[in-house]
Amino acid sequence: MEIFHISAECYPVAKVGGLADVVGALPKYQNNAGHHVRVIMPCYDTKFRQENEFECVHWGHLKLGNFSFPFNILKEKSDKLEFELYLVEIPELFDRKEVYGYEDDIERFLSFQIAALDLIISRNEIPDVINCHDHHTGLIPFIMLYCDKYQKLRNTPSMITIHNGLYQGQFGFDKLYYLPEFDLAHVKVLEWDNCINSLAVAIKCAWAVTTVSPNYLNEINYSANGLESLFNLVRHKSKGILNGIDEEVWDPATDGMLEKNYSIKNFEKGKQENKEKLCNLFNLDPSKPLFSFIGRLLEEKGGDLLPHAAALALSENFQQINILILGSGNAVIENQLNSLLSDYKGNFNTFIGYNEELAHLIYAGSDFLLMPSRVEPCGLNQMYSLRYGTIPIVRRTGGLKDTVIDFGDDGNGICHDQASVGDICYSIQRAVDLFQDKKSLNKIREIGMKTDHSWGRVCQEYVEIYNLIISKK
Ligand code: GLC
C-alpha cells in the first residue's frame, strides 16, 4: 500500500511533543511491514536539516491569495529513517528555528498543506491513502475533495489522526481567499463557530477519524473544546488507536544515552547506576526515591499543579524524597518551580528547556514519573517509563487510563482521579510507602517492563482502517 503521512513534526527531524515521536515511528513500522510509506513535513532550520543530505525532487510557486511563495520539495537522500522523508522548503515561512508560535502560523501551515498536495499531484501514481495529523494538516481532506486543481485526489481516501483536539487552527473568513479555488457552494463545510476551523474541517471531510487512544475518543464526546457535537456526529467513522512506542529507540538494554544499559534481568542495579549519575548531575540524594516530571509545563499537562504539589510533598516528606522537573512552557510555572530551588536544595531541581538525552537518563534513573495531566490524548512518557522500569503516577484521563492500572488492582502504576494538588500528594505518599517495600516495588517494575507497547502490533490497526476506507472508494 502507498501511504503518505503529512505532519508538522517528525522525530528526529523536528520535535515539540509526542506528535513527532509518533510520526517518526509509525511510518517506519508500516514501511517495514511491506508498505511504501512517505512522510511530508515543513523544512525548519533544524540540526537534522543541516546535518543531512537532501535532493530537490520538485519545485514550484504556490499562491496564497495575493501572495506567491516559491517552494522546493527536498527528499532526504539516504532513507535512513526507514521511510522516505520529504521536506517542504518555503524559505520565507519556515526557515526558522521554532516549529510553532509565529504570528503567521496560519499562512505557514496553509502554504505547507498546498505545497504538500502539489507534490502529490505532480507524481504519476496516486497514493492509496493520505494520513493527516492534527490541525496543521486539517484542510487537506477538504482541498482534496473540493478544490479544482486537486481533483485528481478526489477519490483518494484521507484520514485525520487527532493527537490533540484542544488545538484547532481557527481563522477568520477574511482569509478564505487563501484557499485554492473551489465551488463556493461548499463553503459551509469550512465553518465551525463562525470561523474556519481546520480541525473541524478535517473531521467533516476525512474518510476516517482516529484518536491516539480509545479512551480519548470517549472523552472528546463530552469534552473537546467546542467540537463535542461534531465528534458525536462522526462516531461511525471514528476509532481510537492506542499509540505505540519505538522499541528500538526506547530500549534500556541498548539506549546509547544512558549511563548504564540494563534489561529486566538486572534492572535494579542498572537503574541505580543511572540514578546515581542523574543525582550527581542535579545534586540529589540517590538513596531517596526520585520523582520526575518530563514534559511541557502547561495547564493541560497539570504543569500548574506541579510547583504546589512539589512544595507540599517536599515539606511533608522533609529531606526524604527527590523531585526533578525537566520541561519548559508557561513562564509563571517555570518561575514558581525555580523559586523552590533554594528552600529544597539537595532534594529538588529543575532543568528548564528540553533535552532528549537527559530525558532518556531520567526515564532510566528515576523511581517514579509524575503525569498529572488534565488532558492526555495518549501520552507516551508513561509508556517510556514503564519500559525503563520507572513507575508512572498518573491522573486517570485519556490514554493514561488505557495504559496505567493502579498497583492496588495488580497493575503497573499509581493512579488518581482528580487534577489536584491533594491527589498528586496522596499518590506520592503511596509511592514513598511502596519504595520501602522493595519486593513489591520490583514486582510492579517488572510488570511495567513486560508490557507490550510496540508499534509492530499497533501499526496493523492503522492498516485495517486504511483498508476499510479504501474499500469504500
Ligand atoms: C500529543 C498529545 C499526547 C500524545 C501525543 C502523540 O502530544 O498531547 O497525549 O501522546 O500527541 O500522539
Side-chain angles (χ1 to χ4, degrees), residues 18-19 22 163-164 212 243 296 301 376-380:
L19 168 65
V22 171
H163 299 257
N164 197 334
V212 287
N243 282 335
R296 283 166 286 161
K301 302 285 173 194
E376 197 61 82
C378 177
L380 299 170

Side-chain angles (χ1 to χ4, degrees), residues 21-275:
D21 288 6
V22 171
V23 180
L26 169 63
K28 171 167 123 181
Y29 282 83
Q30 287 178 333
N31 216 16
N32 294 341
H35 303 289
H36 200 156
V37 190
R38 301 179 171 90
V39 172
I40 312 181
M41 65 178 296
C43 183
Y44 312 102
D45 180 17
T46 63
K47 198 160 162 252
F48 188 93
R49 166 72 180 101
Q50 289 151 15
E51 291 177 355
N52 291 279
E53 283 195 31
F54 295 83
E55 60 184 323
C56 181
V57 292
H58 180 71
W59 61 274
H61 274 80
L62 66 90
K63 255 178 55 100
L64 203 65
N66 302 328
F67 306 104
S68 165
F69 296 101
F71 70 91
N72 296 313
I73 307 281
L74 310 179
K75 180 181 176 299
E76 196 274 322
K77 271 187 166 172
S78 68
D79 291 342
K80 64 166 150 250
L81 300 182
E82 296 176 56
F83 51 80
E84 288 181 23
L85 172 72
Y86 294 87
L87 302 185
V88 174
E89 185 180 56
I90 313 175
E92 272 176 75
L93 298 175
F94 285 106
D95 194 11
R96 310 178 192 177
K97 296 270 177 232
E98 305 298 329
V99 173
Y100 316 112
Y102 299 100
E103 267 180 14
D104 56 353
D105 276 358
I106 291 296
E107 286 77 6
R108 294 170 77 226
F109 288 104
L110 188 45
S111 306
F112 162 62
Q113 296 176 75
I114 294 171
L117 288 174
D118 275 358
L119 167 69
I120 296 176
I121 59 166
S122 74
R123 302 169 68 250
N124 291 331
E125 324 85 72
I126 292 182
D128 291 302
V129 63
I130 296 184
N131 194 161
C132 302
H133 295 266
D134 273 354
H135 75 84
H136 324 98
T137 57
L139 295 170
I140 286 179
F142 176 90
I143 300 176
M144 289 168 64
L145 280 181
Y146 300 117
C147 293
D148 303 335
K149 181 174 170 194
Y150 305 94
Q151 51 176 292
K152 198 173 160 185
L153 301 175
R154 202 153 284 174
N155 209 20
T156 304
S158 63
M159 171 160 131
I160 177 77
T161 298
I162 300 173
H163 299 257
N164 197 334
L166 285 179
Y167 305 99
Q168 300 171 1
Q170 296 102 324
F171 55 99
F173 274 93
D174 54 325
K175 293 184 175 171
L176 177 66
Y177 72 109
Y178 281 174
L179 284 166
E181 224 164 280
F182 66 96
D183 180 352
L184 281 176
H186 303 296
V187 71
K188 195 81 187 101
V189 180
L190 295 169
E191 194 262 346
W192 191 262
D193 219 1
N194 297 323
C195 288
I196 299 178
N197 180 313
S198 307
L199 190 63
V201 172
I203 296 166
K204 292 181 198 182
C205 298
W207 297 33
V209 175
T210 62
T211 60
V212 287
S213 71
N215 188 47
Y216 185 57
L217 182 63
N218 295 335
E219 286 178 2
I220 52 180
N221 280 285
Y222 54 85
S223 170
N225 209 8
L227 297 185
E228 299 77 6
S229 58
L230 181 59
F231 278 115
N232 274 299
L233 280 175
V234 300
R235 265 303 295 213
H236 62 281
K237 60 170 183 178
S238 310
K239 186 162 189 218
I241 304 179
L242 190 68
N243 282 335
I245 58 173
D246 189 335
E247 293 195 336
E248 286 170 19
V249 175
W250 297 96
D251 182 356
T254 55
D255 189 333
M257 303 185 205
L258 304 192
E259 176 70 5
K260 171 88 186 160
N261 288 114
Y262 60 93
S263 70
I264 194 155
K265 294 203 188 92
N266 60 349
F267 67 86
E268 228 185 319
K269 194 162 169 288
K271 283 185 72 63
Q272 187 60 26
E273 281 190 39
N274 286 297
K275 185 174 180 182

